[in-house]
Amino acid sequence: MSDPAVTPSHEPPARLPGWRGIAADWSSDQRSFKTASWGKVMMWVFLLSDTFIFGCFLLSYMTARMSTTVTWPNASEVFSLEIAGHHMPLLLIAIMTFVLITSSGTMAMAVNYGYRRDRKKTAVLMLLTAAFGAMFVGMQAFEWSKLISEGVRPWENPFGAQQFGAIFFMITGFHGIHVTIGVIFLLIVARKVWRCDFDTGRPGFFTARKGRYEIVEIMGLYWHFVDLVWVFIFAFFYLW
């Protein structure tokens, strides 16, 4: 008499007792995040922690600005440009904001084509997003060099309150680092997409699982977060 067929069990394996069981459960993605991939969950955790950091920076900025007795610099004058003898307040900042918001649109299109596994359009749109990000960083470097040439330093400011320089360089510099890191990773992932790494399951960074373009969506989460943070910086720092 032959043995009865063994029916595969869909029950998760028994959890180890104590902290070892909790650590093994969370690290093996068995129960806690059944409907979300580990990479996407970790990106959300990172973005949440970054939200607290940027929130603390902006709260510190508002506290310093409202508590100082010295006149705060007028953004329309400090961030203005002189072009052909004409005074252009906030022109550079408006262009920077437009470029970054446009990059959010190209990134969303890249994610859309990634879902469709359209390799060429996904790679091209990610490269275009990286180009917009590089343009933003370049314009930010120009803005920094202009302010430094006018005497603005983290410890002094000829336009008014001394805290202005320290807070401005800290917040915009921290955001600029995020944009720069995003540009680097966009170039890396776009190269992998263009090279068919995700279609062939080529061993490497996020490419071992064949046919999964999830890293494009994860990059999209990061990029949209960076753009959203800039909207708050723009509103609080340049319009207030």
Side-chain angles (χ1 to χ4, degrees):
M1 184 176 179
S2 60
D3 294 336
V6 178
T7 304
S9 173
H10 297 287
E11 292 295 325
R15 198 175 72 179
L16 297 173
W19 286 105
R20 291 183 59 189
I22 296 174
D25 186 22
W26 280 63
S27 61
S28 60
D29 195 12
Q30 292 176 354
R31 291 188 179 86
S32 304
F33 306 109
K34 276 187 175 179
T35 57
S37 71
W38 194 246
K40 204 180 295 182
V41 170
M42 288 299 100
M43 176 53 73
W44 277 113
V45 171
F46 169 76
L47 297 182
L48 182 63
S49 63
D50 238 17
T51 301
F52 285 119
I53 296 174
F54 276 108
C56 290
F57 282 171
L58 291 176
L59 283 174
S60 301
Y61 158 66
M62 288 188 289
T63 303
R65 180 164 178 172
M66 290 188 292
S67 61
T68 183
T69 56
V70 183
T71 304
W72 197 261
N74 187 346
S76 298
E77 296 178 0
V78 176
F79 301 110
S80 65
L81 292 178
E82 292 291 336
I83 300 176
H86 297 283
H87 187 69
M88 301 285 187
L90 297 178
L91 175 63
L92 180 63
I93 311 304
I95 296 174
M96 290 169 63
T97 304
F98 175 77
V99 167
L100 207 56
I101 291 176
T102 304
S103 72
S104 239
T106 56
M107 188 68 232
M109 293 171 66
V111 173
N112 186 22
Y113 282 109
Y115 278 129
R116 302 180 189 183
R117 299 188 181 182
D118 191 327
R119 182 175 56 84
K120 290 185 178 179
K121 289 182 180 177
T122 303
V124 168
L125 286 167
M126 292 187 76
L127 290 174
L128 189 58
T129 305
F132 281 131
M135 287 173 58
F136 177 87
V137 174
M139 287 187 283
Q140 193 172 55
F142 172 79
E143 181 190 31
W144 274 41
S145 63
K146 174 180 175 293
L147 290 177
I148 291 172
S149 67
E150 292 172 348
V152 179
R153 302 286 189 277
W155 53 88
E156 65 179 348
N157 170 34
F159 299 103
Q162 290 186 348
Q163 300 95 322
F164 171 82
I167 295 174
F168 172 78
F169 288 123
M170 179 181 67
I171 295 179
T172 58
F174 194 61
H175 179 265
I177 290 173
H178 278 68
V179 178
T180 304
I181 292 173
V183 169
I184 293 171
F185 274 90
L186 281 170
L187 294 175
I188 293 173
V189 175
R191 180 171 177 265
K192 289 178 177 293
V193 171
W194 185 265
R195 207 170 51 183
C196 303
D197 287 5
F198 297 99
D199 296 312
T200 59
R202 178 174 178 164
F205 180 64
F206 286 122
T207 59
R209 295 183 178 180
K210 186 176 179 180
R212 295 192 65 179
Y213 281 77
E214 188 181 61
I215 185 62
V216 179
E217 183 184 359
I218 294 174
M219 278 303 309
L221 290 174
Y222 177 84
W223 197 256
H224 295 317
F225 171 79
V226 169
D227 291 358
L228 180 63
V229 168
W230 177 254
V231 172
F232 282 95
I233 294 175
F234 176 75
F236 281 90
F237 221 99
Y238 297 97
L239 297 183
W240 182 14

PDB file of all heavy atoms in Angstrom, residues 6 15 18 27 77 87 101 110 125 145 155 166 179 204 219 226:
ATOM      1  N   VAL A   6       1.331  13.830   0.505  1.00  0.00           N
ATOM      2  CA  VAL A   6       1.544  14.828   1.552  1.00  0.00           C
ATOM      3  C   VAL A   6       1.093  16.187   1.053  1.00  0.00           C
ATOM      4  O   VAL A   6       1.557  16.671   0.020  1.00  0.00           O
ATOM      5  CB  VAL A   6       3.030  14.889   1.948  1.00  0.00           C
ATOM      6  CG1 VAL A   6       3.256  15.966   3.007  1.00  0.00           C
ATOM      7  CG2 VAL A   6       3.486  13.533   2.458  1.00  0.00           C
ATOM      8  N   ARG A  15       7.141  30.099  15.991  1.00  0.00           N
ATOM      9  CA  ARG A  15       8.087  31.145  16.362  1.00  0.00           C
ATOM     10  C   ARG A  15       8.897  30.738  17.583  1.00  0.00           C
ATOM     11  O   ARG A  15       8.369  30.094  18.500  1.00  0.00           O
ATOM     12  CB  ARG A  15       7.331  32.444  16.656  1.00  0.00           C
ATOM     13  CG  ARG A  15       8.218  33.670  16.620  1.00  0.00           C
ATOM     14  CD  ARG A  15       7.409  34.922  16.794  1.00  0.00           C
ATOM     15  NE  ARG A  15       6.924  35.088  18.152  1.00  0.00           N
ATOM     16  CZ  ARG A  15       6.197  36.118  18.561  1.00  0.00           C
ATOM     17  NH1 ARG A  15       5.842  37.032  17.689  1.00  0.00           N
ATOM     18  NH2 ARG A  15       5.809  36.220  19.802  1.00  0.00           N
ATOM     19  N   GLY A  18      10.597  34.105  23.258  1.00  0.00           N
ATOM     20  CA  GLY A  18      11.371  35.260  23.729  1.00  0.00           C
ATOM     21  C   GLY A  18      11.775  36.219  22.631  1.00  0.00           C
ATOM     22  O   GLY A  18      11.195  36.251  21.543  1.00  0.00           O
ATOM     23  N   SER A  27      12.758  39.953  11.135  1.00  0.00           N
ATOM     24  CA  SER A  27      13.820  39.939  10.122  1.00  0.00           C
ATOM     25  C   SER A  27      13.507  38.996   8.970  1.00  0.00           C
ATOM     26  O   SER A  27      14.070  39.126   7.899  1.00  0.00           O
ATOM     27  CB  SER A  27      15.149  39.537  10.768  1.00  0.00           C
ATOM     28  OG  SER A  27      15.043  38.237  11.315  1.00  0.00           O
ATOM     29  N   GLU A  77      15.062  90.212  -1.024  1.00  0.00           N
ATOM     30  CA  GLU A  77      16.306  90.939  -1.298  1.00  0.00           C
ATOM     31  C   GLU A  77      17.513  90.013  -1.259  1.00  0.00           C
ATOM     32  O   GLU A  77      18.399  90.089  -2.113  1.00  0.00           O
ATOM     33  CB  GLU A  77      16.472  92.063  -0.275  1.00  0.00           C
ATOM     34  CG  GLU A  77      15.382  93.130  -0.357  1.00  0.00           C
ATOM     35  CD  GLU A  77      15.558  94.197   0.705  1.00  0.00           C
ATOM     36  OE1 GLU A  77      16.531  94.082   1.488  1.00  0.00           O
ATOM     37  OE2 GLU A  77      14.745  95.125   0.753  1.00  0.00           O
ATOM     38  N   HIS A  87      15.990  94.032 -11.150  1.00  0.00           N
ATOM     39  CA  HIS A  87      15.958  93.313  -9.880  1.00  0.00           C
ATOM     40  C   HIS A  87      14.949  92.173  -9.981  1.00  0.00           C
ATOM     41  O   HIS A  87      13.755  92.404 -10.217  1.00  0.00           O
ATOM     42  CB  HIS A  87      15.568  94.285  -8.755  1.00  0.00           C
ATOM     43  CG  HIS A  87      15.653  93.694  -7.393  1.00  0.00           C
ATOM     44  ND1 HIS A  87      16.848  93.359  -6.798  1.00  0.00           N
ATOM     45  CD2 HIS A  87      14.679  93.365  -6.508  1.00  0.00           C
ATOM     46  CE1 HIS A  87      16.611  92.856  -5.591  1.00  0.00           C
ATOM     47  NE2 HIS A  87      15.305  92.851  -5.405  1.00  0.00           N
ATOM     48  N   ILE A 101       9.971  69.964  -9.007  1.00  0.00           N
ATOM     49  CA  ILE A 101       8.604  69.437  -9.146  1.00  0.00           C
ATOM     50  C   ILE A 101       8.452  68.706 -10.480  1.00  0.00           C
ATOM     51  O   ILE A 101       7.793  67.657 -10.563  1.00  0.00           O
ATOM     52  CB  ILE A 101       7.584  70.583  -9.013  1.00  0.00           C
ATOM     53  CG1 ILE A 101       7.580  71.093  -7.565  1.00  0.00           C
ATOM     54  CG2 ILE A 101       6.188  70.127  -9.407  1.00  0.00           C
ATOM     55  CD1 ILE A 101       6.684  72.275  -7.332  1.00  0.00           C
ATOM     56  N   ALA A 110       8.438  57.141 -14.739  1.00  0.00           N
ATOM     57  CA  ALA A 110       9.404  56.029 -14.732  1.00  0.00           C
ATOM     58  C   ALA A 110       8.853  54.840 -13.946  1.00  0.00           C
ATOM     59  O   ALA A 110       8.993  53.682 -14.365  1.00  0.00           O
ATOM     60  CB  ALA A 110      10.726  56.495 -14.133  1.00  0.00           C
ATOM     61  N   LEU A 125      13.551  57.846 -18.498  1.00  0.00           N
ATOM     62  CA  LEU A 125      12.876  58.766 -17.570  1.00  0.00           C
ATOM     63  C   LEU A 125      13.644  58.891 -16.256  1.00  0.00           C
ATOM     64  O   LEU A 125      13.670  59.967 -15.648  1.00  0.00           O
ATOM     65  CB  LEU A 125      11.450  58.267 -17.317  1.00  0.00           C
ATOM     66  CG  LEU A 125      10.480  58.500 -18.485  1.00  0.00           C
ATOM     67  CD1 LEU A 125       9.204  57.702 -18.298  1.00  0.00           C
ATOM     68  CD2 LEU A 125      10.156  59.991 -18.610  1.00  0.00           C
ATOM     69  N   SER A 145      27.190  80.038  -3.420  1.00  0.00           N
ATOM     70  CA  SER A 145      28.379  80.836  -3.755  1.00  0.00           C
ATOM     71  C   SER A 145      28.038  82.322  -3.781  1.00  0.00           C
ATOM     72  O   SER A 145      28.855  83.167  -3.383  1.00  0.00           O
ATOM     73  CB  SER A 145      28.945  80.383  -5.102  1.00  0.00           C
ATOM     74  OG  SER A 145      28.005  80.615  -6.131  1.00  0.00           O
ATOM     75  N   TRP A 155      28.284  81.882  10.899  1.00  0.00           N
ATOM     76  CA  TRP A 155      28.448  82.628  12.142  1.00  0.00           C
ATOM     77  C   TRP A 155      28.216  84.137  11.985  1.00  0.00           C
ATOM     78  O   TRP A 155      28.296  84.878  12.965  1.00  0.00           O
ATOM     79  CB  TRP A 155      29.854  82.395  12.701  1.00  0.00           C
ATOM     80  CG  TRP A 155      30.934  82.674  11.695  1.00  0.00           C
ATOM     81  CD1 TRP A 155      31.542  83.869  11.456  1.00  0.00           C
ATOM     82  CD2 TRP A 155      31.505  81.742  10.771  1.00  0.00           C
ATOM     83  NE1 TRP A 155      32.438  83.759  10.444  1.00  0.00           N
ATOM     84  CE2 TRP A 155      32.465  82.456  10.012  1.00  0.00           C
ATOM     85  CE3 TRP A 155      31.319  80.381  10.513  1.00  0.00           C
ATOM     86  CZ2 TRP A 155      33.217  81.834   9.014  1.00  0.00           C
ATOM     87  CZ3 TRP A 155      32.077  79.777   9.528  1.00  0.00           C
ATOM     88  CH2 TRP A 155      33.014  80.500   8.795  1.00  0.00           C
ATOM     89  N   ALA A 166      23.569  80.227   9.616  1.00  0.00           N
ATOM     90  CA  ALA A 166      23.718  78.867  10.133  1.00  0.00           C
ATOM     91  C   ALA A 166      22.509  78.007   9.769  1.00  0.00           C
ATOM     92  O   ALA A 166      22.647  76.862   9.304  1.00  0.00           O
ATOM     93  CB  ALA A 166      23.904  78.917  11.654  1.00  0.00           C
ATOM     94  N   VAL A 179      19.270  65.204  -2.220  1.00  0.00           N
ATOM     95  CA  VAL A 179      19.081  65.240  -3.680  1.00  0.00           C
ATOM     96  C   VAL A 179      20.289  64.612  -4.377  1.00  0.00           C
ATOM     97  O   VAL A 179      20.134  63.822  -5.334  1.00  0.00           O
ATOM     98  CB  VAL A 179      18.870  66.691  -4.154  1.00  0.00           C
ATOM     99  CG1 VAL A 179      18.732  66.732  -5.678  1.00  0.00           C
ATOM    100  CG2 VAL A 179      17.619  67.288  -3.512  1.00  0.00           C
ATOM    101  N   GLY A 204      23.479  40.916  -8.108  1.00  0.00           N
ATOM    102  CA  GLY A 204      23.953  42.256  -7.808  1.00  0.00           C
ATOM    103  C   GLY A 204      22.993  42.987  -6.895  1.00  0.00           C
ATOM    104  O   GLY A 204      22.089  42.392  -6.303  1.00  0.00           O
ATOM    105  N   MET A 219      12.806  53.878  -5.369  1.00  0.00           N
ATOM    106  CA  MET A 219      13.482  55.140  -5.709  1.00  0.00           C
ATOM    107  C   MET A 219      12.463  56.265  -5.874  1.00  0.00           C
ATOM    108  O   MET A 219      12.723  57.420  -5.515  1.00  0.00           O
ATOM    109  CB  MET A 219      14.273  54.970  -7.014  1.00  0.00           C
ATOM    110  CG  MET A 219      15.635  54.319  -6.856  1.00  0.00           C
ATOM    111  SD  MET A 219      16.718  55.191  -5.712  1.00  0.00           S
ATOM    112  CE  MET A 219      16.653  56.860  -6.316  1.00  0.00           C
ATOM    113  N   VAL A 226      11.832  63.750  -1.173  1.00  0.00           N
ATOM    114  CA  VAL A 226      12.781  64.864  -1.282  1.00  0.00           C
ATOM    115  C   VAL A 226      12.088  66.087  -1.880  1.00  0.00           C
ATOM    116  O   VAL A 226      12.300  67.223  -1.426  1.00  0.00           O
ATOM    117  CB  VAL A 226      13.987  64.431  -2.137  1.00  0.00           C
ATOM    118  CG1 VAL A 226      14.856  65.633  -2.505  1.00  0.00           C
ATOM    119  CG2 VAL A 226      14.820  63.392  -1.398  1.00  0.00           C
TER     120      VAL A 226
END
